[in-house]
Structures are given as structure tokens and as C-alpha cells.
Amino acid sequence: MTASSRSDVHARVDAVWRLEAARIIAGLARMVHDVGLAEELAQDALVAALEQWPESGVPDNPGAWLMAVGKRRAIDRIRRTRRLEDKIEEIGRDLESRPAPEFEVPDDERIEDDVLRLIFTACHPVLSTQARVALTLRMLGGLTTDEIARAFLVSEPTVAQRIVRAKRTLSEAGVPFEVPEGPDRAARLSSVLEVIYLIFNEGYAATAGDAWVRADLCREALRLGRVLAELAPGEPEVHGLVALMEIQASRTRARTGPSGEPVPIQEQDRGRWDRLLIHRGFAALLRAKAIGEPPGPYVLQAAIAASHAQAATAADTDWTQIASLYEILATVAPSPVVELNRAVAVGMAHGPEKGLEIADSLVDEPLLRDHHLLASVRGDLLARLGRADEARAQFERAAGLTRNAPERRVLLNRAAAPQ
């Protein structure tokens, strides 16, 4: 096989892994009842594919091939450790009785159940937020530690350590491989949604680095959200999050200028907004509302995004409605960040004085004290009030606090421009 052909096979292996990683790890976790071990077994299967497929060719059903190899590795591991003797016999009889196990496709409903269990396990609150993000991208997204490290601008060893510690923590805590019920499910679901939205937000407005938007992370979060919506169709907040991400992602092409600089929503070319994603977002929002429960944080944020999407021009934006939605959101899920967003909306709906009152009340909030967004919002409101020197100081402060290069340039330009 030529080097070019081998490279093509490796690219195919990589593509298959991204599509099938979650199903393979989930299926193996159901067998061995250990998410960390399941991920190791799946990686063993991936290595086998990289070794064998360049010579034997890519099988007709590569996902099933990887699952079969992973199952055989699981049996070998169990036999070597002399544990779970009954399970060994059961799995062995099951596999040996099938004429072509490596090409058999598992039952779709069982796959969905397994993937849903994996999502809830990887996002368990016993893990830190950073660990949940890393484990989710590794197990559900099929990303390598290097890709995760580059996405979040941390070192690869740091990501690897987070993943190792996360798997160890899950094992030591005895976290069951299951979808919880009742109050536990609601608590875990909020953790799952938080992780997916954190991934999306890092792609939508990068906290650091030379790029303002990282479309690959947005796409990955959207994919995870859509999968979760299919697996948990009766959860309105799941549909709300999907709606929010679809509508926000629709603006991607318009959110950066020729030099990659951020473009505020009021200045974006709305003709570049993706109408298909907006349509999908509206459909997801309608599904959330049809369930009939009081709106949660993601449904409310999706409704705010929908209000922006409905406006043909920036001047048509119904800021009064948006401010009202933020007021409800501040009651349902109060936080300094929600208040800061409410300050922007109130400033647009009822004048910059009203918005600045809210923003000024957040100056001593620990979460926002050294955050560039508070200084940026205050700078904008002060500029609209004609308080040029104060506005300039706030833009300079915001520029000094942000770690994102394109955003820093925009803020410095605003500080230098006549107010």
C-alpha cells in the first residue's frame, strides 16, 4: 500500500472514530460497568484498526468491526483478571453463537440507551466542570487530547491528566452507568446541558487566543445537543438548548469582519445569517414549548435569541420584549452574567441611564469584578451618554482584561475613537 493510500485509510479511521466513539464506548461500558475501562478498550480497538485496515481494507461496517474488537478485548481483560466469571461465560456464549459478530449491528434502541447513559456519566457532577468538558469531548466527540488541548489553549498533558483523574474519580465514586430518575435526573441533566453549552460558548466567543470564533467547537456542541434531543425528547430544556445553539450558530458568518474582528449583533449583515439554522432553532423552541412546562433558563435564552432572529434589521429589534425576557430569566436563574445581559437590553429598550444603573450595581460582584465584559458594557453605555473620558477608560480596562486578541483590538479601537 502506498503512503498516500495509507494516509487515506488513516483519515477514514479518524472519521469513523468521530462518528462511532460514543456508541462504542457506551456499548463497552454497559458490558464492563466502568467508563474508564470502556474508553481504554475502545482505544485498543482503534489501534487495531490503524494497524490492520491499511492492509486488509476498511470493512463494510467499520463501527461494528470496532465494537467487536472492543468486546473481544473486554473478554480478554476479564479473563486475565479472573473476575466476573459468570459474565465471561455469558458474553463468550453470546459472541460465539453469532456467525459474524464483527459485522452485526446492535439494536438501535439499545445503542440509544447506552449513549444516553454515557452522556449522563461523563457529565456527572462529582467531576469538576473542566473534567466534564474534557471527558465529554473525548468520549462523546471522539476528539484526541491534543485537539481538546488546542481548542481550550491548555497543554496536552493537562488535558490528559484531567481525563485520567475524571475516569478515576468516576470509578472510585462508584458512579453507576445509568440514566438517573426523579430529582437525580433533573440535577444531572442540568450538568449535561451546562457542559454542552460551555463547549458551544468557547467556540462561539473564544475566551483566549487569536480567533474570535471556533466553528469546530460550535458544530461539536450542536451535534451533542441534537443527539441528546433525540435521546431525551420529553425534556424541554434539552430542546431549549438546541434552539439557542441553532439560532446563535446561524450568525457565525456575520460575526467576524474581514480581519477576523468581532462584529456586534447590531452591526451584522443579517443577509449572511443562516436561515436554515434559524428555522431549525425555531422548530426546536416550538418542541420545547409544546411539552407544556414552565420555561427554564435555556428555553428563555432561546426565546431571546429568537427575538433577535425575527428582526429583519437591527432597528426592528424588539428590545422591550428582550428586556422583559431577561427579567424573567433573572428570576428563574439569577446570576451576575444574566444581570449584565439585562443591563444591555434595558439600556437599548429604556435608555442608557437605566442600563448603566444595572451595570454599575455589578461592579463589586466577585464574578465580574475583573471580567472584561462588565467594563465593555459600561464603556458602551457611558459612550452613549456622552461621557467620553469615562467610556475610554472602561474600554481600555476591558482591553487589558480580555485574553482574546481580536476582541482586544476592537476594544482598543473603541478607546481610541472619538466618543
Side-chain angles (χ1 to χ4, degrees):
M1 175 175 286
T2 65
S4 176
S5 299
R6 187 175 295 272
S7 176
D8 290 343
V9 171
H10 282 196
R12 178 75 184 278
V13 172
D14 182 63
V16 169
W17 178 249
R18 290 182 186 275
L19 289 172
E20 302 289 347
R23 293 190 177 106
I24 294 167
I25 295 171
L28 293 172
R30 176 172 47 81
M31 291 173 56
V32 300
H33 303 286
D34 185 320
V35 170
L37 176 56
E39 201 263 345
E40 291 176 19
L41 294 168
Q43 287 290 329
D44 287 346
L46 179 63
V47 171
L50 289 169
E51 292 174 346
Q52 297 179 35
W53 290 3
E55 301 302 327
S56 64
V58 178
D60 293 336
N61 193 327
W65 189 98
L66 289 168
M67 178 65 83
V69 172
K71 285 182 177 180
R72 287 199 291 271
R73 295 287 196 275
I75 295 171
D76 291 343
R77 179 70 66 94
I78 294 170
R79 282 174 175 157
R80 281 198 305 270
T81 56
R82 305 302 300 167
R83 291 181 291 127
L84 302 177
E85 297 292 342
D86 292 340
K87 192 65 178 176
I88 295 170
E89 295 178 8
E90 177 187 338
I91 296 172
R93 285 195 302 271
D94 180 55
L95 289 177
E96 290 167 5
S97 66
R98 300 179 183 182
E102 62 269 27
F103 299 112
E104 182 172 320
V105 181
D107 176 74
D108 286 343
E109 185 174 348
R110 190 179 71 189
I111 290 174
E112 290 184 355
D113 289 344
D114 288 343
V115 173
L116 189 58
R117 292 186 188 99
L118 182 61
I119 290 174
F120 275 89
T121 302
C123 298
H124 196 286
V126 73
L127 302 175
S128 69
T129 299
Q130 291 175 327
R132 278 180 263 159
V133 168
L135 198 61
T136 298
L137 288 173
R138 175 62 174 264
M139 292 189 171
L140 292 160
L143 274 66
T144 65
T145 53
D146 177 61
E147 288 171 323
I148 299 169
R150 282 190 281 110
F152 287 90
L153 301 180
V154 296
S155 69
E156 187 174 356
T158 297
V159 170
Q161 289 170 8
R162 285 176 187 170
I163 292 171
V164 169
R165 284 198 298 266
K167 291 188 286 189
R168 184 187 304 126
T169 299
L170 291 175
S171 179
E172 291 175 351
V175 174
F177 185 64
E178 65 179 12
V179 177
E181 298 296 335
D184 287 342
R185 177 171 180 146
R188 294 266 288 277
L189 181 63
S190 66
S191 175
V192 171
L193 298 179
E194 176 192 23
V195 168
I196 294 174
Y197 196 38
L198 277 171
I199 294 169
F200 180 85
N201 269 337
E202 185 57 33
Y204 189 71
T207 56
D210 297 324
W212 174 239
V213 175
R214 292 174 181 159
D216 55 339
L217 282 181
C218 289
R219 286 194 297 269
E220 183 57 33
L222 257 175
R223 187 185 70 80
L224 291 172
R226 290 165 181 165
V227 168
L228 185 58
E230 292 178 2
L231 299 176
E235 298 287 354
E237 279 291 82
V238 174
H239 296 298
L241 175 58
V242 172
L244 174 59
M245 294 191 298
E246 299 275 15
I247 297 172
Q248 287 184 321
S250 73
R251 308 174 196 147
T252 299
R253 290 196 301 267
R255 293 188 66 245
T256 53
S259 302
E261 72 276 11
V263 178
I265 189 170
Q266 298 96 317
E267 300 174 16
Q268 290 173 15
D269 177 359
R270 299 186 179 215
R272 301 187 69 196
W273 288 4
D274 190 319
R275 305 312 301 182
L276 175 60
L277 288 178
I278 291 173
H279 175 77
R280 293 181 65 147
F282 284 2
L285 186 57
L286 288 174
R287 284 193 291 273
K289 292 181 176 179
I291 294 172
E293 296 183 10
Y298 292 107
V299 172
L300 288 168
Q301 290 178 81
I304 291 168
S307 293
H308 284 293
Q310 287 172 326
T313 67
D316 294 329
T317 304
D318 189 343
W319 284 106
T320 301
Q321 180 187 54
I322 292 172
S324 297
L325 287 168
Y326 269 119
E327 187 171 354
I328 298 171
L329 181 60
T331 302
V332 172
S335 79
V337 173
V338 170
E339 279 297 290
L340 183 59
N341 285 321
R342 189 169 76 87
V344 174
V346 168
M348 295 298 293
H350 307 298
E353 302 94 337
K354 296 293 185 182
L356 188 60
E357 287 178 13
I358 299 172
D360 285 349
S361 72
L362 300 171
V363 169
D364 293 325
E365 282 287 347
L367 185 65
L368 295 177
R369 187 181 298 130
D370 295 321
H371 200 298
H372 73 283
L373 287 178
L374 175 58
S376 176
V377 168
R378 293 183 73 226
D380 183 68
L381 293 167
L382 287 164
R384 289 171 57 198
L385 287 169
R387 295 160 61 176
D389 290 341
E390 293 172 88
R392 184 177 300 107
Q394 288 300 308
F395 288 132
E396 290 174 349
R397 174 173 168 75
L401 291 172
T402 184
R403 293 185 294 139
N404 183 274
E407 188 173 33
R408 184 182 302 112
R409 289 194 293 271
V410 168
L411 289 166
L412 289 173
N413 287 339
R414 292 209 65 183
Q419 303 297 328

